[in-house]
Amino acid sequence: MKKYISALLGACMMMAFATSCSKDTEGLTGITYYPVFELQGNDNIVITAGVPYSDAGATAVMEGKDVTDQIKISTRLDFTDPKPGYYTIDYLIINADGIPGSISRSVVVSAPGDKASGFYTVMPDSFRNTGSITYFGGFPLVVYGDGSGVYHVSDLLGGWYQYRAGYGVKYALTGQISIDADGNISLISSFLEGWGDSADEMANGSFDAETGTLKWEVTYAGMLFSVVAARD
């Protein structure tokens, strides 16, 4: 009798589990297919404020079929009258199971005559000095202005913690700088979200419009970071 009761309980549990599973998967297809996207044009682009922008778009294939016509575009960028700043253009498809897939393009809109806004790469002669020098480079940097000489920098530390240490975007020391007519750079403000603090100071900041090179030295947590970045 005990064996019979145990078997009966086991069967009931299996039926309950199956019912629960069927509820969890209700409305889903047997196989889930995801869109495969391809951007048309460059991933990162710089355009001029006030000049209408024609986006190259993206294509998508799902389950071996062209589903480009299903792509929905989401962005804050005004294609007709772009304003200075940094934007993303997201290309989105939601599959039959309601699961979204997407790809993105990054756009910097620069004011007319602004040569500093754009996408940069940190050069390998950048270094951190903690008593001994460690060189680093190869990481991306984004700089964009508002047309008044004030610029936002994605990481004043050149990607040291975000990319080199692998801590992620919350450990980028974002900042605002000013660049005067002679290319001199001054620090306005900075913030590192992960640790809730900011840079101690900035020195020897410069922008060479001819070569598209940014340089500065930032002291953070008692360490000196010397960053050199070249426009892509």
Side-chain angles (χ1 to χ4, degrees):
M1 178 62 72
K2 287 182 180 180
K3 290 182 179 179
Y4 174 77
I5 292 173
S6 297
L8 182 60
L9 286 172
C12 289
M13 290 176 68
M14 290 178 66
M15 289 176 64
F17 179 73
T19 301
S20 175
C21 287
S22 66
K23 289 294 183 183
D24 289 343
T25 58
E26 188 175 342
L28 296 181
T29 62
I31 300 175
T32 297
Y33 295 96
Y34 299 94
V36 177
F37 295 88
E38 182 177 351
L39 277 180
Q40 303 302 295
N42 295 327
D43 295 2
N44 302 325
I45 61 172
V46 180
I47 63 175
T48 303
V51 178
Y53 168 65
S54 179
D55 187 60
T59 60
V61 175
M62 184 163 56
E63 198 181 348
K65 300 176 183 177
D66 187 337
V67 291
T68 300
D69 60 350
Q70 296 181 26
I71 293 177
K72 305 297 182 184
I73 295 177
S74 175
T75 184
R76 296 183 300 105
L77 176 64
D78 182 345
F79 288 5
T80 304
D81 184 19
K83 303 295 191 299
Y86 173 78
Y87 304 87
T88 59
I89 303 174
D90 300 313
Y91 309 87
L92 173 72
I93 287 179
I94 298 176
N95 71 10
D97 293 322
I99 301 172
S102 66
I103 195 170
S104 299
R105 189 193 317 277
S106 296
V107 181
V108 166
V109 180
S110 64
D114 174 12
K115 296 184 178 180
S117 290
F119 299 91
Y120 289 76
T121 298
V122 177
M123 295 291 98
D125 50 345
S126 301
F127 63 85
R128 184 182 75 162
N129 188 349
T130 59
S132 61
I133 291 178
T134 303
Y135 289 95
F136 66 98
F139 306 124
L141 196 68
V142 181
V143 177
Y144 58 93
D146 61 6
S148 71
V150 174
Y151 294 82
H152 177 89
V153 181
S154 61
D155 191 356
L156 293 168
L157 303 181
W160 177 272
Y161 291 111
Q162 179 181 359
Y163 296 110
R164 189 181 188 280
Y167 292 172
V169 68
K170 288 187 177 182
Y171 292 87
L173 180 64
T174 59
Q176 279 194 320
I177 60 173
S178 64
I179 304 178
D180 67 20
D182 295 321
N184 299 306
I185 296 177
S186 300
L187 180 64
I188 298 173
S189 64
S190 65
F191 185 63
L192 196 152
E193 182 182 354
W195 287 308
D197 55 11
S198 58
D200 302 324
E201 62 179 350
M202 172 185 278
N204 301 319
S206 66
F207 171 64
D208 186 329
E210 293 301 318
T211 63
T213 304
L214 289 162
K215 296 180 181 180
W216 59 70
E217 294 177 354
V218 166
T219 303
Y220 172 73
M223 298 174 287
L224 176 66
F225 291 81
S226 177
V227 176
V228 181
R231 193 168 50 212
D232 295 344

